[in-house]
Amino acid sequence: MNRVLLGCTALMVLTLAGCSSSTATKGPKPDQPYEDAMDTGKSVYEIGQASQAEAQYRTAMDRALMRDDAAGIHEAGFNLATVLLAQDQPRKALQSLSTTEAALSLRNFSDTSDLAVIRAAALYRLHDTVFASQAVDRALQSSDMGIRERALYLSGLIAADLRQDTVLDRRVNDLAGFHTTSATVDQQELTARLNLLRRQPELAYSGALSVVKSRRDALDYRGMRRALTLAADAAEAAGHLPQATALRQEEQISKQVAVKQAGENGGAAGDAPAPGSVPAKVTVQVHGTPADQSGLGAGD
């Protein structure tokens, strides 16, 4: 089955886990239309065609429901909600998650911590930190290290918004136990937020600029823009007003171009994922700032 892991597993990054299709001579015969829809959805998502990926995952979900395949419903449901969030449609993502979770509950499928982290990201983007925190807490119980990494990062973003420096500090330390590039950058971002919260704007400024470069190098332009906003906030707090103004202008220009390109492509504003970042189960990164309240698959 084609399953792209949230960065975690990667972006969770968001960074992601690979896919596998059984070629064993024994076992259930695969549903080829389901497999084709999942494969095509992944392929078009990788080149930034989120709306086309959505259509493919809806097809895959229909096939999984017709087959009464709980695992297939889970995979297709995860990808569909992720793609909806990538298109900056958090409410639709939540509706899709509710439908998927109801179908899984009917079939006694309980391992849905990955769905919880998407729910948390969607709620976070909608400024609902209370329910986002509850969803994050459930995701933090996951045995999947990728899911836990994403949940820790999102938990840190929520803590920064709520100015809970003790919790934020704990999340920074928690992320030190993950030895992936994405986790390292996430930790750097949370550290910059912690420094800004603790009135150390110079440290926050330099740290945020480092995150800007890392996000840019990873082709994560949404994350780059959020880091630019964070750097601008830190520069302003440090009294570097010209730098703050320039950083905000850079962020706005990048955002305007992203919106323009999305309009030309007939989709929602967004950026294509980094090459190779979504090998199987489609997932997007949990990147966001207190300013835009965004999270997993965050929009601008």
Side-chain angles (χ1 to χ4, degrees):
M1 296 206 178
N2 294 326
R3 185 182 182 188
V4 175
L5 253 205
L6 270 173
C8 87
T9 338
L11 37 245
M12 182 170 249
V13 260
L14 299 181
T15 338
L16 309 163
C19 67
S20 63
S21 295
S22 175
T23 57
T25 56
K26 296 181 179 181
K29 183 178 180 180
D31 183 294
Q32 199 57 52
Y34 170 88
E35 298 292 340
D36 290 345
M38 292 291 282
D39 287 341
T40 302
K42 178 177 72 70
S43 296
V44 295
Y45 179 81
E46 287 176 331
I47 60 174
Q49 300 298 324
S51 61
Q52 293 183 32
E54 177 191 344
Q56 293 298 321
Y57 290 131
R58 289 191 184 281
T59 296
M61 174 61 82
D62 287 343
R63 295 295 303 188
L65 288 169
M66 182 171 64
R67 182 182 172 90
D68 192 28
D69 180 358
I73 292 170
H74 177 232
E75 299 295 342
F78 177 96
N79 287 4
L80 177 56
T82 296
V83 167
L84 288 169
L85 197 57
Q87 294 181 87
D88 199 21
Q89 300 183 62
R91 295 189 187 282
K92 286 188 176 181
L94 290 172
Q95 293 171 357
S96 178
L97 285 171
S98 294
T99 299
T100 298
E101 289 169 341
L104 293 175
S105 176
L106 183 66
R107 295 163 177 80
N108 297 314
F109 189 102
S110 59
D111 185 11
T112 58
S113 59
D114 53 350
L115 301 183
V117 82
I118 301 178
R119 179 176 292 280
L123 289 166
Y124 178 57
R125 190 181 304 183
L126 292 170
H127 309 269
D128 192 342
T129 54
V130 174
F131 285 103
S133 295
Q134 293 177 6
V136 161
D137 288 343
R138 185 155 68 90
L140 286 172
Q141 305 306 312
S142 175
S143 59
D144 187 305
M145 293 295 284
I147 297 298
R148 289 189 62 243
E149 192 275 321
R150 287 296 81 201
L152 286 168
Y153 174 62
L154 184 52
S155 177
L157 294 179
I158 293 171
D161 285 359
L162 298 177
R163 304 187 65 81
Q164 298 173 337
D165 63 326
T166 301
V167 176
L168 181 54
D169 185 40
R170 189 181 309 135
R171 295 308 178 226
V172 168
N173 291 328
D174 289 339
L175 284 173
F178 294 80
H179 306 293
T180 63
T181 300
S182 60
T184 297
V185 178
D186 290 344
Q187 183 191 33
Q188 291 173 346
E189 180 181 338
L190 293 187
T191 298
R193 296 184 185 284
L194 181 62
N195 286 329
L196 184 58
L197 195 58
R198 290 181 170 175
R199 299 182 181 179
Q200 296 178 302
E202 293 288 359
L203 288 176
Y205 178 56
S206 61
L209 289 179
S210 178
V211 173
V212 168
K213 181 181 184 304
S214 295
R215 302 295 193 206
R216 179 190 297 120
D217 291 347
L219 306 187
D220 175 14
Y221 301 136
R222 287 195 189 96
M224 178 196 74
R225 288 191 287 272
R226 287 184 288 274
L228 282 168
T229 298
L230 174 60
D233 290 342
E236 191 173 86
H240 306 315
L241 300 186
Q243 290 92 328
T245 299
L247 288 165
R248 295 192 196 285
Q249 290 178 342
E250 292 169 25
E251 186 275 336
Q252 282 299 309
I253 291 172
S254 177
K255 180 178 179 179
Q256 289 167 4
V257 174
V259 170
K260 176 183 176 182
Q261 291 186 343
E264 293 172 349
N265 294 330
D271 305 294
S277 67
V278 185
K281 171 184 175 185
V282 172
T283 180
V284 284
Q285 302 172 337
V286 177
H287 294 307
T289 67
D292 65 15
Q293 296 290 320
S294 51
L296 187 72
D300 297 300

